[in-house]
Amino acid sequence: MLRFPYRARPRKMSRQRLPEEGIIVGQEGRLQRLRQLVTGLVRYERIETVYQHCDETRGYAERLIHTAIRNGDQHQHTMEMADYWLNEKDLIYKLFDVLVPRYQNYSSAFTNIYRTPIVYPGRGTEMGILELKGNPWPDVLPKQRDNRYVISNVLLQAARKDYNTSKESRKTKNELNSSSENSET
Amino acid sequence: MAAPYGMTRLLGSFRRFEHALFQWMGFYPPPGFQAELVYDIQPVENHVNNQQSSTKSILQDIFDSILLAVPKSRRTAEKKRTRKMSMKGHYEYAIPKNNIIACLECGNWHEKETICGHCYQTVKTETEEMQEAMGLDALKYDAPRSEVVFLYDGEEQERPKYDGKYIVEMKKQRPEWFSKNLMTKAHNPK
Amino acid sequence: MASYSRRILPCFWKTTKLLTFEDSARRVPCRYHQELLPTRNYLLPETVEEHRKSELSKHPELPPSITSENVPADFRFVYPEFLPDPQYDRRDSIRERLEREDMYRRRAVIDIPEFYVGSIMAVTVSDQYSPNKENRFVGICIDRGGVGLRAFFILRNVVDGQGIEIMYEMYNPTLQSIQVLKLEKRVDDKLYYLRDAPQEYSTFPFDMDPIPVPKGSTVPVNKMKVQLNPRPWLERWERQDLQGVEDLKLEQRFYDKAAKVAKPWEKYDLMKWYRENTNEEERDSIMQEVHQRKRLTDIEKSKRKTKLAERKR
């Protein structure tokens, strides 16, 4: 099961210009392009391309890894898929020896996707980064700082605590009042 | 073929010129030649509107492809305005972007949904150095069959911890923003 | 920043609903806005679930002793109509639950046996115009499909030289009995090519004796190859990947055109198959439920049998 939001319908992505095969039109072209991206992702563990293409490959990469985890490397169908989706055959070893043990016990998605800023001047293409989790490279996002002890947060926490304790005391007061009213009537 | 009459006259005249030229150069026999012809050539002098001709000049080939694609009917003013005034390519550039925020780390501006380009650039340069240290062979042609671990200067004592993994030595100090803890496997990440 | 983007790009010219992780089992088609659907008198399951105060309860009579461990792996092939609709736009969680309840109740009354495409079956239907108010038909199952109470199968036979196909709905209350005379599988999923084959391949006698199959044995696969009649055909069989058909002996141009028109990349399209089929967790949970209810009905049936035996004595 895919553990990230995915579109109900696939993107068309037809008419792809591929470096070796040339221009391929239609669904075949789309799959060839996605093959390249999946191969690149498995090899470099982080790729930068058009954001929409990143989103498309995400599903395919995760399904491939999920199939490999579920069936192992002796399963004929899995080997066929790995052979098709990974253009460079040394990556098939990587898939079963590195990625499957890495993602064996994951309860979340295996990939992360980010948007990179649009480069101006230019065509305004929305680019994105797709990466496999657990890769050896430094994080894309800077580590979030601990702002628990920033003065504004300290004050807010204190205020929140005060409000909660007063709310409880108000609640118990109301209960006592209502019970006393009941007993009176 | 919906070719305008003027264009066909032009084509016809060009074809006649071409035919005459080739005749002079010796490619085609003269018009009165009665011997067996290798090529089936119709005499061009008979018809100007030579649509049935089997010989096709180069120019006609070019014009054929252009003339086939032609608008069938006039685009209405409504449709023209709809396309012109639509959001895409017109209004979208006029709407101000209210989603520009400053990165908490470096202070550079970026859109809210994107990552900070400046911070990512440092990450990218470091990644490229790491890839160089890994070597072209291991990176592009023969991917290692175990997890890749990078050890910087002063981290030699951790080598036995990563026994069985593909260790790459980086000949520099670990950058401050690159935390060491990321090298271990994340258990049950969210 | 979240590890995955939940934000939808503000598209003014295209609208696509990006689904969240929680409702990834249910998908809305790209074309429709959230706002458009209520005008069609339609409540999204998400909206219903938001207002639910208590959980959808399980069947009240199910005793806690019946557990559903060790569900056989091929359960989903024996009871495929219980699996949810592959077309997610048509799905409704409450309707599915109610349908499954009705299906269990029907199965408690009538025995719908295990069958596959290629099995020879005898079906008795109640018919008000026949003398004994019954109508029995025997035939080979050429297709099986449908979801929930709309599950169907098609039987084919040749009667007096005329090929006849009848589609039966499995949960139709007018169906009196379904009997499998010969349990076997064929090499293809659908046997529509029998329409273009000689009639001998589709003829089965009405007084055929049932061939018993020992319990626990694997279903035999009949690998016979059918020889088709010469062209013209009802479909372009050379363009379909049929395993159970002999060499079609056509001119090369047909095979060339088939190769030109073929889409060999489709079988590698992982996301396409994922979108079209149900995911494994849902399938497993439903099959567990089916297994539990089956055990319950089996227990009740055996109780009834022992009661009858006692009464006879």
mmCIF file of all heavy atoms in Angstrom, chain B residues 24-55:
data_model
loop_
_atom_site.group_PDB
_atom_site.id
_atom_site.type_symbol
_atom_site.label_atom_id
_atom_site.label_comp_id
_atom_site.label_asym_id
_atom_site.label_seq_id
_atom_site.Cartn_x
_atom_site.Cartn_y
_atom_site.Cartn_z
ATOM 1 N N TRP B 24 17.528 20.037 -70.151
ATOM 2 C CA TRP B 24 18.753 20.657 -70.667
ATOM 3 C C TRP B 24 19.974 19.946 -70.118
ATOM 4 O O TRP B 24 20.952 19.730 -70.821
ATOM 5 C CB TRP B 24 18.740 22.138 -70.274
ATOM 6 C CG TRP B 24 19.995 22.857 -70.641
ATOM 7 C CD1 TRP B 24 20.402 23.238 -71.873
ATOM 8 C CD2 TRP B 24 21.031 23.241 -69.741
ATOM 9 N NE1 TRP B 24 21.617 23.867 -71.809
ATOM 10 C CE2 TRP B 24 22.024 23.887 -70.511
ATOM 11 C CE3 TRP B 24 21.226 23.159 -68.346
ATOM 12 C CZ2 TRP B 24 23.189 24.414 -69.946
ATOM 13 C CZ3 TRP B 24 22.373 23.694 -67.798
ATOM 14 C CH2 TRP B 24 23.349 24.307 -68.605
ATOM 15 N N MET B 25 19.922 19.554 -68.831
ATOM 16 C CA MET B 25 21.056 18.892 -68.202
ATOM 17 C C MET B 25 21.195 17.454 -68.637
ATOM 18 O O MET B 25 22.224 16.835 -68.398
ATOM 19 C CB MET B 25 20.922 18.941 -66.661
ATOM 20 C CG MET B 25 21.229 20.323 -66.122
ATOM 21 S SD MET B 25 20.536 20.584 -64.516
ATOM 22 C CE MET B 25 21.698 19.703 -63.490
ATOM 23 N N GLY B 26 20.152 16.906 -69.311
ATOM 24 C CA GLY B 26 20.271 15.561 -69.860
ATOM 25 C C GLY B 26 19.580 14.490 -69.027
ATOM 26 O O GLY B 26 19.687 13.305 -69.316
ATOM 27 N N PHE B 27 18.876 14.890 -67.938
ATOM 28 C CA PHE B 27 18.217 13.872 -67.108
ATOM 29 C C PHE B 27 16.981 13.319 -67.821
ATOM 30 O O PHE B 27 16.699 12.143 -67.752
ATOM 31 C CB PHE B 27 17.802 14.459 -65.751
ATOM 32 C CG PHE B 27 18.975 14.779 -64.868
ATOM 33 C CD1 PHE B 27 18.846 15.678 -63.824
ATOM 34 C CD2 PHE B 27 20.218 14.193 -65.103
ATOM 35 C CE1 PHE B 27 19.929 15.965 -63.007
ATOM 36 C CE2 PHE B 27 21.289 14.494 -64.287
ATOM 37 C CZ PHE B 27 21.156 15.377 -63.246
ATOM 38 N N TYR B 28 16.207 14.229 -68.455
ATOM 39 C CA TYR B 28 14.993 13.755 -69.136
ATOM 40 C C TYR B 28 15.207 13.834 -70.648
ATOM 41 O O TYR B 28 15.909 14.712 -71.148
ATOM 42 C CB TYR B 28 13.782 14.632 -68.787
ATOM 43 C CG TYR B 28 13.378 14.648 -67.331
ATOM 44 C CD1 TYR B 28 12.667 15.723 -66.833
ATOM 45 C CD2 TYR B 28 13.701 13.613 -66.463
ATOM 46 C CE1 TYR B 28 12.287 15.765 -65.510
ATOM 47 C CE2 TYR B 28 13.332 13.650 -65.146
ATOM 48 C CZ TYR B 28 12.624 14.734 -64.667
ATOM 49 O OH TYR B 28 12.256 14.786 -63.381
ATOM 50 N N PRO B 29 14.586 12.952 -71.452
ATOM 51 C CA PRO B 29 14.668 13.070 -72.913
ATOM 52 C C PRO B 29 13.794 14.217 -73.419
ATOM 53 O O PRO B 29 12.900 14.652 -72.695
ATOM 54 C CB PRO B 29 14.127 11.716 -73.401
ATOM 55 C CG PRO B 29 13.257 11.241 -72.300
ATOM 56 C CD PRO B 29 13.806 11.776 -71.027
ATOM 57 N N PRO B 30 14.045 14.740 -74.640
ATOM 58 C CA PRO B 30 13.243 15.843 -75.191
ATOM 59 C C PRO B 30 11.800 15.413 -75.394
ATOM 60 O O PRO B 30 11.505 14.218 -75.451
ATOM 61 C CB PRO B 30 13.919 16.183 -76.517
ATOM 62 C CG PRO B 30 14.781 15.019 -76.813
ATOM 63 C CD PRO B 30 15.137 14.375 -75.538
ATOM 64 N N PRO B 31 10.872 16.370 -75.520
ATOM 65 C CA PRO B 31 9.447 16.017 -75.546
ATOM 66 C C PRO B 31 9.034 15.121 -76.698
ATOM 67 O O PRO B 31 8.152 14.299 -76.547
ATOM 68 C CB PRO B 31 8.727 17.361 -75.600
ATOM 69 C CG PRO B 31 9.764 18.387 -75.816
ATOM 70 C CD PRO B 31 11.071 17.805 -75.492
ATOM 71 N N GLY B 32 9.671 15.222 -77.857
ATOM 72 C CA GLY B 32 9.251 14.424 -79.006
ATOM 73 C C GLY B 32 9.802 13.017 -79.029
ATOM 74 O O GLY B 32 9.591 12.267 -79.973
ATOM 75 N N PHE B 33 10.514 12.614 -78.058
ATOM 76 C CA PHE B 33 11.201 11.323 -78.019
ATOM 77 C C PHE B 33 10.197 10.190 -77.910
ATOM 78 O O PHE B 33 9.410 10.146 -76.989
ATOM 79 C CB PHE B 33 12.141 11.332 -76.824
ATOM 80 C CG PHE B 33 13.147 10.230 -76.832
ATOM 81 C CD1 PHE B 33 14.062 10.097 -77.873
ATOM 82 C CD2 PHE B 33 13.203 9.318 -75.796
ATOM 83 C CE1 PHE B 33 14.998 9.082 -77.876
ATOM 84 C CE2 PHE B 33 14.145 8.306 -75.790
ATOM 85 C CZ PHE B 33 15.043 8.181 -76.822
ATOM 86 N N GLN B 34 10.212 9.258 -78.867
ATOM 87 C CA GLN B 34 9.193 8.203 -78.890
ATOM 88 C C GLN B 34 9.702 6.873 -78.388
ATOM 89 O O GLN B 34 8.957 5.912 -78.316
ATOM 90 C CB GLN B 34 8.670 8.010 -80.341
ATOM 91 C CG GLN B 34 7.902 9.209 -80.872
ATOM 92 C CD GLN B 34 6.700 9.547 -80.017
ATOM 93 O OE1 GLN B 34 5.993 8.657 -79.557
ATOM 94 N NE2 GLN B 34 6.466 10.831 -79.806
ATOM 95 N N ALA B 35 10.965 6.742 -78.079
ATOM 96 C CA ALA B 35 11.509 5.448 -77.629
ATOM 97 C C ALA B 35 10.961 5.103 -76.249
ATOM 98 O O ALA B 35 10.327 5.902 -75.578
ATOM 99 C CB ALA B 35 13.028 5.520 -77.577
ATOM 100 N N GLU B 36 11.225 3.878 -75.793
ATOM 101 C CA GLU B 36 10.732 3.423 -74.484
ATOM 102 C C GLU B 36 11.341 4.262 -73.380
ATOM 103 O O GLU B 36 12.548 4.412 -73.296
ATOM 104 C CB GLU B 36 11.110 1.948 -74.283
ATOM 105 C CG GLU B 36 10.148 1.026 -74.942
ATOM 106 C CD GLU B 36 10.537 -0.428 -74.741
ATOM 107 O OE1 GLU B 36 11.648 -0.704 -74.236
ATOM 108 O OE2 GLU B 36 9.718 -1.297 -75.082
ATOM 109 N N LEU B 37 10.480 4.796 -72.571
ATOM 110 C CA LEU B 37 10.958 5.627 -71.468
ATOM 111 C C LEU B 37 11.106 4.779 -70.212
ATOM 112 O O LEU B 37 10.271 3.924 -69.917
ATOM 113 C CB LEU B 37 9.969 6.759 -71.178
ATOM 114 C CG LEU B 37 9.748 7.740 -72.325
ATOM 115 C CD1 LEU B 37 8.617 8.679 -71.971
ATOM 116 C CD2 LEU B 37 11.017 8.521 -72.607
ATOM 117 N N VAL B 38 12.177 5.032 -69.519
ATOM 118 C CA VAL B 38 12.364 4.335 -68.221
ATOM 119 C C VAL B 38 11.396 4.901 -67.187
ATOM 120 O O VAL B 38 10.798 4.213 -66.406
ATOM 121 C CB VAL B 38 13.819 4.491 -67.728
ATOM 122 C CG1 VAL B 38 14.001 3.799 -66.385
ATOM 123 C CG2 VAL B 38 14.776 3.911 -68.761
ATOM 124 N N TYR B 39 11.274 6.234 -67.193
ATOM 125 C CA TYR B 39 10.388 6.873 -66.203
ATOM 126 C C TYR B 39 9.088 7.236 -66.890
ATOM 127 O O TYR B 39 9.078 7.711 -68.012
ATOM 128 C CB TYR B 39 11.030 8.149 -65.640
ATOM 129 C CG TYR B 39 12.365 7.888 -65.013
ATOM 130 C CD1 TYR B 39 13.535 8.236 -65.685
ATOM 131 C CD2 TYR B 39 12.463 7.289 -63.767
ATOM 132 C CE1 TYR B 39 14.763 7.989 -65.126
ATOM 133 C CE2 TYR B 39 13.687 7.045 -63.206
ATOM 134 C CZ TYR B 39 14.832 7.392 -63.879
ATOM 135 O OH TYR B 39 16.038 7.154 -63.311
ATOM 136 N N ASP B 40 8.002 7.063 -66.210
ATOM 137 C CA ASP B 40 6.684 7.420 -66.730
ATOM 138 C C ASP B 40 6.457 8.901 -66.461
ATOM 139 O O ASP B 40 6.057 9.280 -65.365
ATOM 140 C CB ASP B 40 5.628 6.563 -66.028
ATOM 141 C CG ASP B 40 4.231 6.897 -66.507
ATOM 142 O OD1 ASP B 40 4.104 7.372 -67.659
ATOM 143 O OD2 ASP B 40 3.286 6.693 -65.746
ATOM 144 N N ILE B 41 6.749 9.739 -67.450
ATOM 145 C CA ILE B 41 6.622 11.175 -67.230
ATOM 146 C C ILE B 41 5.502 11.693 -68.119
ATOM 147 O O ILE B 41 5.488 11.499 -69.332
ATOM 148 C CB ILE B 41 7.943 11.896 -67.595
ATOM 149 C CG1 ILE B 41 9.069 11.400 -66.660
ATOM 150 C CG2 ILE B 41 7.782 13.389 -67.449
ATOM 151 C CD1 ILE B 41 10.429 11.644 -67.216
ATOM 152 N N GLN B 42 4.567 12.408 -67.502
ATOM 153 C CA GLN B 42 3.479 13.017 -68.271
ATOM 154 C C GLN B 42 3.959 14.341 -68.821
ATOM 155 O O GLN B 42 4.669 15.062 -68.122
ATOM 156 C CB GLN B 42 2.273 13.235 -67.371
ATOM 157 C CG GLN B 42 1.490 11.966 -67.120
ATOM 158 C CD GLN B 42 0.264 12.251 -66.270
ATOM 159 O OE1 GLN B 42 -0.046 13.415 -66.003
ATOM 160 N NE2 GLN B 42 -0.421 11.217 -65.827
ATOM 161 N N PRO B 43 3.562 14.695 -70.047
ATOM 162 C CA PRO B 43 3.981 15.999 -70.583
ATOM 163 C C PRO B 43 3.366 17.126 -69.763
ATOM 164 O O PRO B 43 2.188 17.115 -69.446
ATOM 165 C CB PRO B 43 3.441 16.012 -72.014
ATOM 166 C CG PRO B 43 2.412 14.961 -72.034
ATOM 167 C CD PRO B 43 2.755 13.964 -70.996
ATOM 168 N N VAL B 44 4.210 18.057 -69.365
ATOM 169 C CA VAL B 44 3.789 19.118 -68.449
ATOM 170 C C VAL B 44 3.062 20.226 -69.194
ATOM 171 O O VAL B 44 2.277 20.954 -68.642
ATOM 172 C CB VAL B 44 5.018 19.694 -67.714
ATOM 173 C CG1 VAL B 44 4.618 20.704 -66.660
ATOM 174 C CG2 VAL B 44 5.789 18.553 -67.067
ATOM 175 N N GLU B 45 3.288 20.353 -70.565
ATOM 176 C CA GLU B 45 2.725 21.488 -71.296
ATOM 177 C C GLU B 45 1.214 21.421 -71.405
ATOM 178 O O GLU B 45 0.553 22.418 -71.637
ATOM 179 C CB GLU B 45 3.291 21.556 -72.733
ATOM 180 C CG GLU B 45 4.771 21.835 -72.796
ATOM 181 C CD GLU B 45 5.623 20.582 -72.700
ATOM 182 O OE1 GLU B 45 5.051 19.458 -72.654
ATOM 183 O OE2 GLU B 45 6.838 20.717 -72.663
ATOM 184 N N ASN B 46 0.625 20.194 -71.268
ATOM 185 C CA ASN B 46 -0.815 20.056 -71.497
ATOM 186 C C ASN B 46 -1.640 20.790 -70.445
ATOM 187 O O ASN B 46 -2.534 21.544 -70.768
ATOM 188 C CB ASN B 46 -1.209 18.573 -71.503
ATOM 189 C CG ASN B 46 -0.577 17.831 -72.644
ATOM 190 O OD1 ASN B 46 -0.101 18.457 -73.601
ATOM 191 N ND2 ASN B 46 -0.555 16.532 -72.566
ATOM 192 N N HIS B 47 -1.396 20.509 -69.151
ATOM 193 C CA HIS B 47 -2.255 21.064 -68.104
ATOM 194 C C HIS B 47 -1.443 21.893 -67.131
ATOM 195 O O HIS B 47 -0.355 21.537 -66.747
ATOM 196 C CB HIS B 47 -2.952 19.954 -67.319
ATOM 197 C CG HIS B 47 -3.691 19.017 -68.206
ATOM 198 N ND1 HIS B 47 -4.906 19.333 -68.776
ATOM 199 C CD2 HIS B 47 -3.368 17.783 -68.636
ATOM 200 C CE1 HIS B 47 -5.299 18.312 -69.498
ATOM 201 N NE2 HIS B 47 -4.391 17.360 -69.448
ATOM 202 N N VAL B 48 -2.046 22.959 -66.744
ATOM 203 C CA VAL B 48 -1.421 23.755 -65.677
ATOM 204 C C VAL B 48 -1.771 23.151 -64.312
ATOM 205 O O VAL B 48 -0.939 23.024 -63.440
ATOM 206 C CB VAL B 48 -1.921 25.229 -65.763
ATOM 207 C CG1 VAL B 48 -1.405 26.015 -64.569
ATOM 208 C CG2 VAL B 48 -1.486 25.865 -67.060
ATOM 209 N N ASN B 49 -3.027 22.776 -64.208
ATOM 210 C CA ASN B 49 -3.494 22.161 -62.956
ATOM 211 C C ASN B 49 -3.136 20.687 -62.950
ATOM 212 O O ASN B 49 -3.958 19.827 -63.162
ATOM 213 C CB ASN B 49 -5.018 22.318 -62.871
ATOM 214 C CG ASN B 49 -5.426 23.128 -61.664
ATOM 215 O OD1 ASN B 49 -4.576 23.687 -60.977
ATOM 216 N ND2 ASN B 49 -6.698 23.205 -61.434
ATOM 217 N N ASN B 50 -1.861 20.402 -62.720
ATOM 218 C CA ASN B 50 -1.383 19.025 -62.865
ATOM 219 C C ASN B 50 -1.460 18.270 -61.540
ATOM 220 O O ASN B 50 -0.463 17.873 -60.964
ATOM 221 C CB ASN B 50 0.057 19.049 -63.374
ATOM 222 C CG ASN B 50 0.211 18.087 -64.525
ATOM 223 O OD1 ASN B 50 -0.608 17.200 -64.715
ATOM 224 N ND2 ASN B 50 1.267 18.258 -65.283
ATOM 225 N N GLN B 51 -2.664 18.079 -61.087
ATOM 226 C CA GLN B 51 -2.816 17.422 -59.776
ATOM 227 C C GLN B 51 -2.499 15.932 -59.871
ATOM 228 O O GLN B 51 -2.115 15.328 -58.897
ATOM 229 C CB GLN B 51 -4.247 17.600 -59.277
ATOM 230 C CG GLN B 51 -4.647 19.056 -59.057
ATOM 231 C CD GLN B 51 -4.463 19.493 -57.614
ATOM 232 O OE1 GLN B 51 -4.533 18.683 -56.726
ATOM 233 N NE2 GLN B 51 -4.226 20.770 -57.391
ATOM 234 N N GLN B 52 -2.746 15.314 -61.069
ATOM 235 C CA GLN B 52 -2.589 13.855 -61.160
ATOM 236 C C GLN B 52 -1.159 13.437 -61.471
ATOM 237 O O GLN B 52 -0.880 12.279 -61.647
ATOM 238 C CB GLN B 52 -3.491 13.262 -62.263
ATOM 239 C CG GLN B 52 -4.981 13.389 -61.990
ATOM 240 C CD GLN B 52 -5.507 14.746 -62.439
ATOM 241 O OE1 GLN B 52 -4.940 15.380 -63.310
ATOM 242 N NE2 GLN B 52 -6.599 15.182 -61.827
ATOM 243 N N SER B 53 -0.239 14.390 -61.548
ATOM 244 C CA SER B 53 1.137 14.057 -61.933
ATOM 245 C C SER B 53 1.785 13.127 -60.925
ATOM 246 O O SER B 53 1.626 13.308 -59.721
ATOM 247 C CB SER B 53 1.946 15.354 -62.040
ATOM 248 O OG SER B 53 3.311 15.053 -62.074
ATOM 249 N N SER B 54 2.502 12.116 -61.453
ATOM 250 C CA SER B 54 3.166 11.194 -60.551
ATOM 251 C C SER B 54 4.492 11.770 -60.051
ATOM 252 O O SER B 54 4.941 11.444 -58.984
ATOM 253 C CB SER B 54 3.415 9.854 -61.244
ATOM 254 O OG SER B 54 4.148 10.096 -62.425
ATOM 255 N N THR B 55 5.138 12.642 -60.860
ATOM 256 C CA THR B 55 6.389 13.251 -60.385
ATOM 257 C C THR B 55 6.040 14.359 -59.396
ATOM 258 O O THR B 55 5.135 15.146 -59.616
ATOM 259 C CB THR B 55 7.192 13.873 -61.536
ATOM 260 O OG1 THR B 55 6.314 14.738 -62.255
ATOM 261 C CG2 THR B 55 7.742 12.817 -62.449
#
